[in-house]
Each structure stands twice: as C-alpha cells, then as structure tokens.
Amino acid sequence: MSAENLPPIKNYPAWLWRVARKIFVVAFFGTGTIIIGAIVFPILRLFNHSKNSFKKAGHKFISLALDLYIHLMSWVRISTYKIDDLKTLRHIKGCVIVANHPSLLDVIYILAFVRDADCIVKAGLKKSLVSVIVNNLYITNNIDFEIMQKDCVESLHNGGNIIIFPEGTRTPRVGSNQYKKGAARIALAAGANVQPLHIGGNDKYGLGKGESLLCVNHQERYKYDFKVLPQIQMSKYQGLSESIAAKRLTDDIRATIESVS
C-alpha cells in the first residue's frame, strides 16, 4: 500500500491503526448525515417555511456540525489544521470562495469555517452517503450552466457565499489541472468579489481522486494549512467584454492561489 513519493510502510500495526481511525471517522460522518436528514432537517423546516430561510438555517447548522467534526478528526489524530485568518471567513458575505483542491476533506474544512456557504458539488453526490444534505442545500453541476449561474447569483445576492474549486476536480498529488472559467463567470454575473484560499500542508495520499479508503499517509496525520489570500475585486474588470473578463479573472485566480509556495 505504499504510495509514490512516500517511503514504504515499515510499521504495519501502526498503519492498520491509522486505517482503522480513518474508517471510524468516515462511518461517523455517514451516521451523522442520516441523523441530520431524519431529525434535524424536519425540525428546521418547522421554523423556516421559505426555501431561502431553510437553506440559510441549514447552511449554518452544517457549518457548526462540521466544525465539531474537524475537531473530532483532530482528536483521533486523523488530521489537523491551521488557518491564518479565520475571522475573515467567519464574517464573509456575498463572495465566491475559490481554492485549490488537494483532498476529499477540503470542502468539509471550508464549510466548517464559513457559516453561510453554498457549494457547487458533483451530481454523483445526489446518490451518495451525503445525498440528503446535497439535495436540500447545495447546487449540483449537472444542470444547465445558465440555471446554475442564476441559482448562484441569487444565493450571493441573498448574502450567502459560493464555494467553487476552479479545477473542477481534485488537484493531483503531482502537478495541477487547468482552471475552468465557471467561477469567474459566476462572480462577474453577480458582481461578487472573489475570495481565494490556498490549501497547503503535507501529502494527502488516501484523500485524492480514486484513492481507496485503505490508503493513508502512513508517516503522519494529514496536515492542512489554510491561507486566506487578498480578495479579488470585480471593479478591476469593468468595461471588459464578458469573455475577456472571465479569462483575465480566471488567470488572476490561478496566479493568486499559486503565488503561495
């Protein structure tokens, strides 16, 4: 089970214990989603009759729940994190939040940091363990872009934030993906500033695309280092055509995120 760029496993009991802890936090997460769907969401609907009110209450509850979850992962020594400016993310409103995407846990951490965050997620999650949460609260990427953009603009104008990973998929452990223009087009359409984040830390082997649940960084727990970068203001792109503005903004998003070594 050794990984490229990681030394071979020498202590198999320690590796098995690390895998067992990883399976535990995944099972805990799955159990939590069932409880949220069966108990929490019906209660929230009793007190939030409009769609917008329910989504805002749901976003806040999920953020608080994931805040506890990331502390659980730290307690069982699966992962740990540091962030240089949590206050900004706690109080952010009406922004498109963009980041590189090295692991499965990225969105969990960002949702925990941001109290009112919508998110564009892959359509496959509608039939997954988190389907009850995705179907009620988030925007899937299998709908027509104009409809998705309209939903995002509405969420931003209501004071929410949209989390988008411009690469569209998880960043490979070596190299990077091409940045897509969707995040830029949504930000420009809404007139919403862009908040870039850089997600660093150690090797995320076992949390990448297509990697097994039994794969772990067998040397140490997953370490996350979040850097809140300067916001990109939409005033910079006024007077440009839509296509040119989207390209320049996408280039600026990538340059800003990749400016962190």
Side-chain angles (χ1 to χ4, degrees), residues 39-214:
I39 299 175
V40 176
F41 279 0
I43 293 173
L44 289 180
R45 288 192 185 280
L46 286 176
F47 299 97
N48 300 275
H49 302 294
S50 72
K51 179 181 177 181
N52 185 53
S53 174
F54 171 76
K55 286 190 72 172
K56 281 189 172 293
H59 289 161
K60 185 172 183 179
F61 179 85
I62 293 298
S63 180
L64 291 168
L66 291 178
D67 214 342
L68 291 174
Y69 184 68
I70 63 177
H71 283 88
L72 169 69
M73 290 194 292
S74 179
W75 183 67
V76 300
R77 300 182 65 81
I78 283 295
S79 68
T80 185
Y81 75 93
K82 61 180 180 178
I83 180 169
D84 64 349
D85 188 4
L86 179 59
K87 184 178 179 180
T88 290
L89 295 186
R90 280 281 189 260
H91 300 288
I92 196 169
K93 289 185 181 297
C95 283
V96 176
I97 301 170
V98 295
N100 57 315
H101 192 14
S103 82
L104 190 64
L105 296 180
D106 304 335
V107 69
I108 289 177
Y109 273 104
I110 299 173
L111 286 171
F113 298 150
V114 182
R115 290 295 185 239
D116 188 0
D118 213 328
C119 188
I120 297 177
V121 300
K122 63 180 182 180
L125 292 178
K126 296 181 73 172
K127 298 181 180 180
S128 72
L129 195 64
V130 295
S131 60
V132 66
I133 295 175
V134 169
N135 292 336
N136 279 279
L137 294 182
Y138 301 118
I139 301 167
T140 55
N141 64 1
N142 64 329
I143 57 178
D144 183 79
F145 181 80
E146 278 63 37
I147 297 173
M148 181 171 65
Q149 180 175 265
K150 179 177 177 293
D151 290 343
C152 290
V153 169
E154 181 181 350
S155 183
L156 289 162
H157 286 173
N158 285 328
N161 304 281
I162 301 289
I163 300 169
I164 304 176
F165 296 106
E167 291 173 86
T169 188
R170 271 169 269 177
T171 312
R173 291 173 62 237
V174 178
S176 63
N177 300 307
Q178 182 178 356
Y179 276 44
K180 302 180 186 301
K181 297 178 184 176
R185 291 174 64 188
I186 289 168
L188 291 164
N193 292 337
V194 173
Q195 176 60 69
L197 302 177
H198 180 270
I199 305 173
N202 64 353
D203 197 301
K204 303 300 189 295
Y205 177 65
L207 299 175
K209 187 173 182 179
E211 292 174 347
S212 166
L213 183 64
L214 300 181

Side-chain angles (χ1 to χ4, degrees), residues 204-242:
K204 303 300 189 295
Y205 177 65
L207 299 175
K209 187 173 182 179
E211 292 174 347
S212 166
L213 183 64
L214 300 181
C215 298
V216 293
N217 181 333
H218 51 269
Q219 289 191 301
E220 56 186 346
R221 55 181 161 172
Y222 298 114
K223 295 178 181 178
Y224 287 81
D225 184 4
F226 292 88
K227 295 192 181 301
V228 182
L229 303 169
Q231 283 193 14
I232 302 174
Q233 307 292 319
M234 289 305 98
S235 57
K236 180 178 178 180
Y237 309 96
Q238 288 180 354
L240 299 176
S241 69
E242 180 181 343

